[in-house]
Amino acid sequence: MKPKVIVYKKLEPVVLEYVQEACEVVYFEKIDENTAAAFYEELKNAEGLLGSGLKVDHELLEKAPHLKIVSNISVGYDNLDISELNRRGIMATNTPNVLNETVADTMIGLLLAAARRIPELDHYVKSGKWTSHLTPTHFGVDMHHKTLGIIGMGRIGAAIAKRAHFGFGMNILYHNRTRNEEVERTYMATHRTLEELCQEADFICLMVPLTPETKNLIGETEFALMKNTAIFVNGSRGATVDEEALVGALQNGQILAAGLDVFVEEPVRHDHPLLSMPNVVTLPHIGSATSETRIGMAQFAAENLVLGLQGKKPPALLTQDPSNR
């Protein structure tokens, strides 16, 4: 008898077929107040969960007595209570590496779009305002040969450093819990304290996971340290930044511009002050959103799921291996 799994994210047919070969699949397009009762009923006998964004905590796990694995279609896993999953001997997995290059492309795009005011000037042309020669009020700033500070030098941070160093001739500073000798050697990157990085960098890119330690990591103090010509981009999680402090820093001219792929509340409310600022480039959390990468992430997550249900160790295991307990 095949193990029952609940899928709560639309999968490409090839990925869904792979899961169905090994599992009995129950699919929910979304889990909300209209589908919650049916979801919890199916959860009673489910051995696996496959999707992204679902909060898996004590309350949910109490309703899932047969659960063996939770497979996140995401590199981030702040929706998972890892300590509770460990306590229950339930595996949890994510999808690292598959999206590194794609997210790095997005972050470079955000940096460049904010520096050269691309969305703002695109609107300027399309709204019929381009009726004469441009003046310095329309100019952006150079990105090449400037200093980029990367906060969070993991695999994605390193991929951003590669593009910035070799593609734009940028000087790389980074702040990380541990030194990364490979990026220091390969991209001539220099380790800095968070305070030093904020003071020295022309561009600042935030790429840390969301943890209790990184919540509101960048706030009033950090923005006050930045150059008034600095451009700040966030590709991590919205809650790693104090959004009120960011709004204030932009309004007060403490920093020049910002590029955001993430927000505290997603989807972001339409009347959020950041959305009315021409010097803020906003994206709807699309860091990894290309067809190729999303299919690769889903396939990786599906493989994690199936291997875990077969009693094997998934390659991207976040929790303790139950076989070693």
Side-chain angles (χ1 to χ4, degrees), residues 141-159:
V141 298
D142 284 331
M143 182 167 143
H144 63 84
H145 298 97
K146 295 288 184 68
T147 296
L148 171 63
I150 300 173
I151 304 170
M153 188 57 83
R155 296 182 182 93
I156 298 173

mmCIF file of all heavy atoms in Angstrom, residues 141-159:
data_model
loop_
_atom_site.group_PDB
_atom_site.id
_atom_site.type_symbol
_atom_site.label_atom_id
_atom_site.label_comp_id
_atom_site.label_asym_id
_atom_site.label_seq_id
_atom_site.Cartn_x
_atom_site.Cartn_y
_atom_site.Cartn_z
ATOM 1 N N VAL A 141 22.859 56.273 -10.743
ATOM 2 C CA VAL A 141 24.253 56.193 -10.292
ATOM 3 C C VAL A 141 24.898 54.945 -10.859
ATOM 4 O O VAL A 141 24.226 53.957 -11.159
ATOM 5 C CB VAL A 141 24.356 56.184 -8.741
ATOM 6 C CG1 VAL A 141 23.799 57.467 -8.159
ATOM 7 C CG2 VAL A 141 23.618 54.976 -8.153
ATOM 8 N N ASP A 142 26.211 54.989 -11.002
ATOM 9 C CA ASP A 142 26.945 53.825 -11.486
ATOM 10 C C ASP A 142 26.963 52.717 -10.439
ATOM 11 O O ASP A 142 27.022 52.979 -9.238
ATOM 12 C CB ASP A 142 28.393 54.201 -11.804
ATOM 13 C CG ASP A 142 28.519 54.974 -13.104
ATOM 14 O OD1 ASP A 142 27.676 54.773 -14.000
ATOM 15 O OD2 ASP A 142 29.460 55.790 -13.210
ATOM 16 N N MET A 143 26.944 51.496 -10.945
ATOM 17 C CA MET A 143 27.101 50.341 -10.071
ATOM 18 C C MET A 143 28.507 49.749 -10.222
ATOM 19 O O MET A 143 29.081 49.242 -9.259
ATOM 20 C CB MET A 143 26.034 49.293 -10.414
ATOM 21 C CG MET A 143 26.055 48.060 -9.541
ATOM 22 S SD MET A 143 24.555 47.074 -9.784
ATOM 23 C CE MET A 143 25.236 45.429 -9.662
ATOM 24 N N HIS A 144 29.055 49.830 -11.414
ATOM 25 C CA HIS A 144 30.364 49.235 -11.668
ATOM 26 C C HIS A 144 31.458 49.917 -10.841
ATOM 27 O O HIS A 144 31.429 51.125 -10.610
ATOM 28 C CB HIS A 144 30.706 49.295 -13.162
ATOM 29 C CG HIS A 144 30.820 50.680 -13.712
ATOM 30 N ND1 HIS A 144 31.970 51.440 -13.619
ATOM 31 C CD2 HIS A 144 29.913 51.450 -14.359
ATOM 32 C CE1 HIS A 144 31.786 52.603 -14.195
ATOM 33 N NE2 HIS A 144 30.544 52.645 -14.650
ATOM 34 N N HIS A 145 32.380 49.112 -10.373
ATOM 35 C CA HIS A 145 33.547 49.558 -9.605
ATOM 36 C C HIS A 145 33.193 50.244 -8.288
ATOM 37 O O HIS A 145 34.014 50.963 -7.727
ATOM 38 C CB HIS A 145 34.454 50.449 -10.464
ATOM 39 C CG HIS A 145 35.012 49.723 -11.650
ATOM 40 N ND1 HIS A 145 34.442 49.809 -12.904
ATOM 41 C CD2 HIS A 145 36.044 48.857 -11.754
ATOM 42 C CE1 HIS A 145 35.113 49.045 -13.740
ATOM 43 N NE2 HIS A 145 36.100 48.454 -13.075
ATOM 44 N N LYS A 146 31.994 50.024 -7.797
ATOM 45 C CA LYS A 146 31.600 50.508 -6.477
ATOM 46 C C LYS A 146 31.812 49.382 -5.457
ATOM 47 O O LYS A 146 32.271 48.287 -5.796
ATOM 48 C CB LYS A 146 30.128 50.942 -6.487
ATOM 49 C CG LYS A 146 29.846 52.152 -7.385
ATOM 50 C CD LYS A 146 30.380 53.431 -6.805
ATOM 51 C CE LYS A 146 30.005 54.647 -7.648
ATOM 52 N NZ LYS A 146 28.561 54.928 -7.618
ATOM 53 N N THR A 147 31.451 49.630 -4.211
ATOM 54 C CA THR A 147 31.621 48.643 -3.143
ATOM 55 C C THR A 147 30.278 48.027 -2.793
ATOM 56 O O THR A 147 29.324 48.742 -2.463
ATOM 57 C CB THR A 147 32.236 49.286 -1.892
ATOM 58 O OG1 THR A 147 33.550 49.742 -2.212
ATOM 59 C CG2 THR A 147 32.322 48.284 -0.749
ATOM 60 N N LEU A 148 30.203 46.699 -2.897
ATOM 61 C CA LEU A 148 28.995 45.948 -2.546
ATOM 62 C C LEU A 148 29.213 45.240 -1.221
ATOM 63 O O LEU A 148 30.180 44.501 -1.052
ATOM 64 C CB LEU A 148 28.676 44.915 -3.635
ATOM 65 C CG LEU A 148 27.562 43.904 -3.297
ATOM 66 C CD1 LEU A 148 26.221 44.620 -3.104
ATOM 67 C CD2 LEU A 148 27.448 42.848 -4.397
ATOM 68 N N GLY A 149 28.305 45.455 -0.279
ATOM 69 C CA GLY A 149 28.334 44.742 0.992
ATOM 70 C C GLY A 149 27.246 43.686 1.008
ATOM 71 O O GLY A 149 26.069 43.995 0.815
ATOM 72 N N ILE A 150 27.636 42.452 1.216
ATOM 73 C CA ILE A 150 26.685 41.337 1.246
ATOM 74 C C ILE A 150 26.559 40.851 2.683
ATOM 75 O O ILE A 150 27.546 40.433 3.290
ATOM 76 C CB ILE A 150 27.135 40.193 0.323
ATOM 77 C CG1 ILE A 150 27.253 40.686 -1.115
ATOM 78 C CG2 ILE A 150 26.151 39.014 0.411
ATOM 79 C CD1 ILE A 150 27.854 39.669 -2.077
ATOM 80 N N ILE A 151 25.364 40.899 3.218
ATOM 81 C CA ILE A 151 25.098 40.420 4.578
ATOM 82 C C ILE A 151 24.494 39.034 4.458
ATOM 83 O O ILE A 151 23.358 38.873 4.024
ATOM 84 C CB ILE A 151 24.142 41.373 5.322
ATOM 85 C CG1 ILE A 151 24.700 42.791 5.333
ATOM 86 C CG2 ILE A 151 23.903 40.878 6.752
ATOM 87 C CD1 ILE A 151 23.717 43.834 5.843
ATOM 88 N N GLY A 152 25.285 38.019 4.819
ATOM 89 C CA GLY A 152 24.873 36.633 4.644
ATOM 90 C C GLY A 152 25.583 36.017 3.453
ATOM 91 O O GLY A 152 25.061 36.013 2.347
ATOM 92 N N MET A 153 26.799 35.516 3.684
ATOM 93 C CA MET A 153 27.610 34.991 2.588
ATOM 94 C C MET A 153 27.487 33.472 2.521
ATOM 95 O O MET A 153 28.424 32.719 2.735
ATOM 96 C CB MET A 153 29.067 35.411 2.761
ATOM 97 C CG MET A 153 29.963 35.061 1.564
ATOM 98 S SD MET A 153 29.394 35.752 0.007
ATOM 99 C CE MET A 153 30.076 37.421 0.092
ATOM 100 N N GLY A 154 26.259 33.016 2.226
ATOM 101 C CA GLY A 154 26.042 31.612 1.938
ATOM 102 C C GLY A 154 26.245 31.351 0.457
ATOM 103 O O GLY A 154 26.933 32.108 -0.235
ATOM 104 N N ARG A 155 25.608 30.301 -0.047
ATOM 105 C CA ARG A 155 25.781 29.954 -1.457
ATOM 106 C C ARG A 155 25.228 31.030 -2.386
ATOM 107 O O ARG A 155 25.823 31.348 -3.406
ATOM 108 C CB ARG A 155 25.118 28.610 -1.741
ATOM 109 C CG ARG A 155 25.745 27.432 -1.000
ATOM 110 C CD ARG A 155 25.046 26.131 -1.375
ATOM 111 N NE ARG A 155 25.583 24.998 -0.652
ATOM 112 C CZ ARG A 155 25.095 24.543 0.506
ATOM 113 N NH1 ARG A 155 24.046 25.157 1.051
ATOM 114 N NH2 ARG A 155 25.624 23.491 1.100
ATOM 115 N N ILE A 156 24.063 31.586 -2.017
ATOM 116 C CA ILE A 156 23.493 32.641 -2.859
ATOM 117 C C ILE A 156 24.338 33.900 -2.759
ATOM 118 O O ILE A 156 24.613 34.561 -3.772
ATOM 119 C CB ILE A 156 22.033 32.925 -2.464
ATOM 120 C CG1 ILE A 156 21.173 31.671 -2.680
ATOM 121 C CG2 ILE A 156 21.482 34.089 -3.281
ATOM 122 C CD1 ILE A 156 19.757 31.807 -2.165
ATOM 123 N N GLY A 157 24.759 34.252 -1.566
ATOM 124 C CA GLY A 157 25.623 35.411 -1.391
ATOM 125 C C GLY A 157 26.883 35.291 -2.228
ATOM 126 O O GLY A 157 27.337 36.268 -2.849
ATOM 127 N N ALA A 158 27.459 34.087 -2.263
ATOM 128 C CA ALA A 158 28.672 33.864 -3.063
ATOM 129 C C ALA A 158 28.385 34.015 -4.553
ATOM 130 O O ALA A 158 29.213 34.538 -5.310
ATOM 131 C CB ALA A 158 29.244 32.479 -2.770
ATOM 132 N N ALA A 159 27.210 33.564 -4.985
ATOM 133 C CA ALA A 159 26.845 33.700 -6.401
ATOM 134 C C ALA A 159 26.649 35.173 -6.771
ATOM 135 O O ALA A 159 26.978 35.594 -7.889
ATOM 136 C CB ALA A 159 25.572 32.908 -6.691
#
